[in-house]
């Protein structure tokens, strides 16, 4: 059975907890948490990840910068990235997707929607 | 009377008998010929009848087969109906299970939201963090765009009023006071009843779309106000109302607890206070 590892980069512990709660319904998915973009990059350097879920508005390094950095990273340049953000404007979505994000979900999240998109990105039936 | 001679008689008799015999044999031959023809006709008719009989027999047999087949078709039709009915029942049952599953999923999501919100609300005793958790809860879980938290204060003449202690994306409320029992905020505080407006019906942007009284011991110690929602949030849903209820019931203890904790120097001092009760 395949084991997937997902990195959640989110400054709100409450939101992280909620996302982890939702992802708990996907079998064989291990979750690693990071507080911001810089912490996320550190965690990425320390392992191999199958998916990155990130917020946009975070201190130190925001989610869009993180997406840019991941897309130039030798190891993780192809890892799927899902953005979960409060920014609901069409131009924000377009910018994130142009930078290399694969999915863009706005808050407040609905667990079934997040689960379905994560499964899609991980190609889980 | 003159009698004919014997020779003449003999001659006549021979000729007549010959004629008779000739006629007899000719007629006999004709009769035989007729009989043969009749017999031939009869044979042909028998042949025809026997062929007809065979045909009729086979038709009868095929009629029986058709009857059997019709009966079988009827039976199969009935079976098909039965199967269709049971398939329909199974479909209905499946649909009801699916609906129930969806309901359960929604309930699970609501529970998860409430669990996370409640655990985060009581995870800290630092006053600014408690207010920040309330703000985050409303922003992340409900989709609030701007949030104000007001607490009850008293004027010199002991008249209660509301004063803002936290503002998120609505800094214009800072330094203002709200009269008790005046406007949606004041009324929510005075009556202890939530004021919630359908966001699309909101006409005055300066007025909150939701006012949640923070209740303690039957009285409101403050009000949480949502002034606007995120662009993508169009209306309140069930889980939002559940969160409002949770905040109304639990925010007060978190706020009061954090206020009391701020007066003590440390956890140990707070525990001493508790032990001295």
């Amino acid at each position: 059975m395949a084991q997937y590892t997902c990195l959640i980069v989110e400054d709100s512990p409450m939101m992280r907890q909620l996302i982890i709660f939702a992802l708990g319904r996907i079998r064989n998915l291990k979750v690693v948490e990071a507080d911001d973009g810089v912490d996320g990059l550190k965690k990425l350097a320390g392992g191999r990840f199958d998916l990155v879920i990130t917020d946009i508005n975070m201190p130190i390094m925001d989610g869009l910068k993180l997406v840019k950095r991941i897309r130039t990273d030798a190891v993780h340049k192809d890892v799927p990235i899902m953005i979960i953000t409060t920014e609901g404007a069409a131009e924000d979505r377009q910018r994130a997707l142009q930078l290399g994000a694969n999915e863009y979900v706005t808050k407040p999240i609905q667990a079934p929607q997040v689960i379905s998109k994560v499964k899609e990105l991980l190609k889980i039936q | 009377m003159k009698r004919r001679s014997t020779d003449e008689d003999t001659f006549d008799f021979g000729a007549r008998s010959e004629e008779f015999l000739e006629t007899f044999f000719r007629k006999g031959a004709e009769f035989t010929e007729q009989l043969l023809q009749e017999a031939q006709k009869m044979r042909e008719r028998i042949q025809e009848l026997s062929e007809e009989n065979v045909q009729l027999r086979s038709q009868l047999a095929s009629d029986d087969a058709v009857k059997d087949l019709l009966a079988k078709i009827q039976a199969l039709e009935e079976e098909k109906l039965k199967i269709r009915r049971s398939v329909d029942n199974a479909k209905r049952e499946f649909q009801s299970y699916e609906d129930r599953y969806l309901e359960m999923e929604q309930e699970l999501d609501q529970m998860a939201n409430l669990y996370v919100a409640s655990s985060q609300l009581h995870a800290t005793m630092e006053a600014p963090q408690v207010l920040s958790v309330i703000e985050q809860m409303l922003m992340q879980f409900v989709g609030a765009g701007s949030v104000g938290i007001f607490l009850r204060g008293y004027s010199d003449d002991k008249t209660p009023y509301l004063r803002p202690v936290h503002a998120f994306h609505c800094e214009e409320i800072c330094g203002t006071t709200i009269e008790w029992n005046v406007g949606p905020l004041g009324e929510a505080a005075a009556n202890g009843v939530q004021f919630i407006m359908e966001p699309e019906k909101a006409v005055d942007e300066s007025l909150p779309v939701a006012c949640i009284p923070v209740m303690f011991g039957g009285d409101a110690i403050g009000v949480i106000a949502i002034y606007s929602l995120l662009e993508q949030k169009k209306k309140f849903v069930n889980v939002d109302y559940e969160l409002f209820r949770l905040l109304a019931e639990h925010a007060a203890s978190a706020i009061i607890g954090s206020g009391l904790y701020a007066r003590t120097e440390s956890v140990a001092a707070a525990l001493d206070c508790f032990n001295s009760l």
Side-chain angles (χ1 to χ4, degrees), chain B residues 219-240:
Chain B
D219 292 322
I221 62 138
V223 176
I224 299 167
I226 298 175
Y227 286 96
S228 66
L229 298 176
L230 294 173
E231 192 180 341
Q232 62 272 19
K233 178 81 177 185
K234 303 295 180 201
K235 60 174 185 177
F236 293 120
V237 292
N238 283 346
V239 69
D240 300 335

Side-chain angles (χ1 to χ4, degrees), chain B residues 73-225:
Chain B
I73 286 169
Q74 180 69 22
L76 285 170
E77 285 286 342
E78 279 167 16
E79 203 171 330
K80 190 176 89 178
L81 268 178
K82 266 187 203 169
I83 290 170
R84 189 169 281 177
R85 269 196 289 268
S86 55
V87 165
D88 286 347
N89 283 342
K91 266 186 191 170
R92 270 195 295 273
E93 212 166 315
F94 178 73
Q95 187 60 46
S96 106
Y97 276 123
E98 207 169 53
D99 292 347
R100 187 76 196 110
Y101 179 75
L102 278 176
E103 266 175 43
M104 297 278 283
E105 271 216 325
Q106 280 169 356
E107 273 171 37
L108 184 69
D109 288 343
Q110 284 191 12
M111 297 286 284
N113 277 18
L114 295 174
Y115 166 75
V116 172
S118 174
S119 68
Q120 291 290 328
L121 187 61
H122 297 294
T124 179
M125 288 300 283
E126 302 291 338
Q129 275 186 32
V130 168
L131 299 177
S132 171
V133 163
I134 294 170
E135 164 214 303
Q136 285 293 308
M137 200 186 290
L138 292 170
M139 187 183 80
Q140 309 273 6
F141 292 4
V142 176
S146 51
V147 174
I149 302 172
F150 297 81
L151 289 183
R152 188 175 64 192
Y154 290 97
S155 59
D156 295 338
D157 61 351
K158 306 287 180 198
T159 308
Y161 65 92
L162 291 170
R163 61 183 178 87
V165 291
H166 186 81
F168 172 72
H169 289 171
C170 56
E171 282 65 26
E172 65 276 7
I173 64 167
C174 296
T176 61
T177 53
I178 307 280
E179 280 184 63
W180 200 257
N181 209 9
V182 174
L185 275 160
E187 283 178 16
N191 304 323
V193 177
Q194 292 181 9
F195 165 84
I196 297 166
M197 183 183 271
E198 279 305 312
E200 64 262 28
K201 287 179 186 161
V203 282
D204 189 347
E205 286 183 8
S206 65
L207 288 177
V209 288
C211 301
I212 305 136
V214 180
M215 305 300 289
F216 190 79
D219 292 322
I221 62 138
V223 176
I224 299 167

Side-chain angles (χ1 to χ4, degrees), chain A residues 27-101:
Chain A
R27 279 185 188 177
N28 303 305
L29 183 69
K30 197 179 121 194
V31 173
V32 175
E33 299 174 59
D35 292 329
D36 55 64
V38 171
D39 190 24
L41 284 175
K42 275 185 203 162
K43 299 272 165 66
L44 273 173
R48 256 186 181 281
F49 290 87
D50 303 289
L51 175 69
V52 174
I53 296 177
T54 179
D55 186 12
I56 290 184
N57 300 319
M58 291 182 292
I60 307 173
M61 181 192 279
D62 70 31
L64 294 180
K65 279 184 191 152
L66 176 67
V67 173
K68 266 192 196 172
R69 292 285 295 270
I70 293 173
R71 288 295 173 243
T72 54
D73 179 83
V75 180
H76 290 102
K77 65 179 190 301
D78 296 321
V79 73
I81 302 173
M82 179 193 283
I83 284 180
I84 296 182
T85 177
T86 52
E87 307 300 326
E91 52 268 30
D92 292 320
R93 174 187 293 267
Q94 203 177 348
R95 182 147 183 257
L97 296 176
Q98 273 172 355
L99 284 172

Side-chain angles (χ1 to χ4, degrees), chain B residues 4-24:
Chain B
R4 284 179 190 173
S5 67
T6 312
D7 287 348
E8 197 181 334
D9 285 349
T10 308
F11 174 78
D12 283 339
F13 177 75
R16 286 190 72 175
S17 67
E18 200 171 314
E19 192 184 338
F20 172 76
L21 283 171
E22 194 178 316
T23 307
F24 178 79

